[in-house]
Amino acid sequence: MTLEFEIINRYFKKNTNVPLGIGDDAALINKNKREFWAISQDTLNNDTHFSSDTPPVELGWKALAVNVSDIYAMGGKPNYALLSISLNQHNEKWLKGFSQGLHACAKKYGVEIIGGDTTRGATSISITIIGSVFKKNVLKRDAAKVEDDIWVTGKIGLAAIGLDCVKKKIAMKEGLKKTFIEYLNKPQPSNIYSLQAKKLFHSAIDISDGLIADLSHILKSSGVSAEIFSNQLPVHPWTKKNEAYHYALYGGDDYQLILTAAQKNRSQIELLAKQEKIKLTCIGKITNGKKLKVFDTHGIPLKNLNKGFLHFDK
Ligand code: ADP
Ligand code: MG
């Protein structure tokens, strides 16, 4: 267990009376007979989650998008958000850009900004999101079943390549670099709400810390294991050409979903995904094995599985 989760479990986790508290992508509280409110909060800090060079318009987008992603991961629909923002100076241009990006994202995902807090301090943006989810449609991390297919939405690993471009750790043509950095700064969560997901899927999580790290949460909560096939991962052609699959396995910031579903639903999932124009790719299966296995593109199991992004890594 990483220190981040040790801190949460040791200091903040207490028994509550809510239907679902700490431990999933969002907490659930009763809304009415048929629905829950799904509530979650994500923070972006300067130098940890973005740099002073990140365009404010993209930061505004990202601050909300990373929260929308957690509501989709519960099978829910985002409704409202509260914005807590800490700024070290009043910068008109920055605020204009940031708010433009924020409102563009709110419009795209149908979210209303209903409150928040504005303070002076190191730049930090924290958003609390409130969504609604039908009780029969809730997707949790603890319901993956042996033999389930493992699916991911969209493409993965692109944001992590973008981050290495920003940090000048890798070099490539300007156009390509721009594409990857856009994935990093402007994540586009996939709206699976229209798929009536619970009829098709057993469990879900969104990818914030990397495919392997986030899949591991599903495996741990569900008491199962998995096999992942690198050659099935939905990656950018650059990743294939450079055999840089580690970006897709361990890179964070994708804000796509990992879902598991019974194999018998495969053709229906493919059909619905096509109808709803959602990219869904089967990348492996849930097993009753002891250890998560990841096969490289030659079918050989990887030896040392990295754990993805860790806050408080020592
Ligand atoms: P996610 O990546 O989906 O945003 P996290 O990994 O950040 O989720 O958090 C895991 C779980 O722990 C979530 O249910 C979250 O609400 C909860 N959590 C995180 N930090 C705290 C905290 N300081 N106090 C209480 N609960 C927390
Ligand atoms: Mg999440």
Side-chain angles (χ1 to χ4, degrees):
M1 207 200 308
T2 66
L3 196 48
E4 178 187 354
F5 298 108
E6 260 176 57
I7 293 174
I8 298 168
N9 288 335
R10 185 177 306 170
Y11 299 105
F12 303 122
K13 199 167 178 172
K14 292 267 180 247
N15 286 337
T16 58
N17 289 315
V18 297
L20 185 66
I22 293 172
D24 219 298
D25 290 292
L28 300 175
I29 59 176
N30 273 316
K31 179 182 177 191
N32 56 42
K33 236 177 158 178
R34 296 185 320 145
E35 292 169 284
F36 290 124
W37 290 116
I39 304 177
S40 181
Q41 185 176 53
D42 259 322
T43 302
L44 301 183
N45 290 330
N46 195 10
D47 291 335
T48 308
H49 303 96
F50 63 93
S51 72
S52 307
D53 301 337
T54 309
V57 63
E58 295 186 345
L59 192 57
W61 176 283
K62 185 167 181 174
L64 184 58
V66 303
N67 280 279
V68 166
S69 170
D70 277 321
I71 300 298
Y72 285 154
M74 300 304 294
K77 182 176 181 291
N79 303 127
Y80 308 107
L82 291 101
L83 165 72
S84 169
I85 186 163
S86 162
L87 300 166
N88 51 22
Q89 56 173 323
H90 175 201
N91 179 335
E92 189 76 34
K93 203 169 152 219
W94 190 95
L95 279 164
K96 211 170 158 192
F98 178 85
S99 56
Q100 250 174 28
L102 176 79
H103 292 304
C105 185
K107 190 168 173 209
K108 168 155 183 186
Y109 292 104
V111 178
E112 288 181 82
I113 312 290
I114 58 160
D117 195 21
T118 306
T119 53
R120 188 184 281 269
T123 311
S124 172
I125 302 126
S126 186
I127 289 186
T128 301
I129 194 154
I130 302 168
S132 44
V133 54
F134 283 103
K135 291 182 180 178
K136 63 178 171 54
N137 289 346
V138 171
L139 289 171
K140 296 199 311 180
R141 297 176 178 182
D142 65 1
K145 303 217 169 19
V146 174
E147 296 290 322
D148 271 5
D149 283 329
I150 301 171
W151 298 83
V152 288
T153 60
K155 284 185 270 184
I156 54 172
L158 287 78
I161 300 172
L163 184 61
D164 271 1
C165 290
V166 170
K167 289 181 169 170
K168 299 194 169 52
K169 283 189 181 169
I170 45 173
M172 61 182 76
K173 282 188 196 145
E174 276 310 307
L176 202 51
K177 205 158 115 180
K178 213 174 138 215
T179 304
F180 289 129
I181 295 176
E182 175 140 355
Y183 273 89
L184 172 70
N185 289 341
K186 228 180 145 201
Q188 310 278 335
S190 296
N191 181 359
I192 57 154
Y193 188 71
S194 51
L195 294 185
Q196 291 185 291
K198 191 55 186 281
K199 283 191 187 148
L200 298 172
F201 299 101
H202 287 143
S203 65
I205 189 168
D206 70 329
I207 310 176
S208 49
D209 296 337
L211 175 72
I212 297 303
D214 288 310
L215 174 64
S216 298
H217 292 308
I218 288 192
L219 304 183
K220 191 164 177 257
S221 306
S222 303
V224 293
S225 198
E227 290 181 352
I228 298 294
F229 304 97
S230 296
N231 58 6
Q232 288 174 219
L233 297 174
V235 295
H236 190 275
W238 183 91
T239 311
K240 284 190 185 159
K241 197 170 149 216
N242 292 281
E243 294 214 22
Y245 288 87
H246 57 280
Y247 284 113
L249 294 169
Y250 313 122
D253 267 348
D254 289 311
Y255 298 102
Q256 293 298 330
L257 300 173
I258 304 171
L259 299 134
T260 79
Q263 283 177 22
K264 66 174 169 50
N265 293 344
R266 202 177 287 175
S267 52
Q268 209 191 340
I269 290 170
E270 279 165 351
L271 186 74
L272 267 172
K274 206 168 166 191
Q275 275 172 11
E276 298 291 326
K277 298 192 173 63
I278 294 169
K279 184 174 169 59
L280 265 165
T281 311
C282 181
I283 61 163
K285 65 173 187 186
I286 298 290
T287 67
N288 57 6
K290 283 215 166 62
K291 263 177 105 178
L292 167 64
K293 279 191 191 156
V294 178
F295 295 92
D296 71 11
T297 48
H298 309 288
I300 298 164
L302 296 181
K303 285 236 170 65
N304 298 311
L305 284 188
N306 190 323
K307 286 286 188 232
F309 182 80
L310 305 175
H311 289 282
F312 306 106
D313 195 13
K314 281 179 256 183

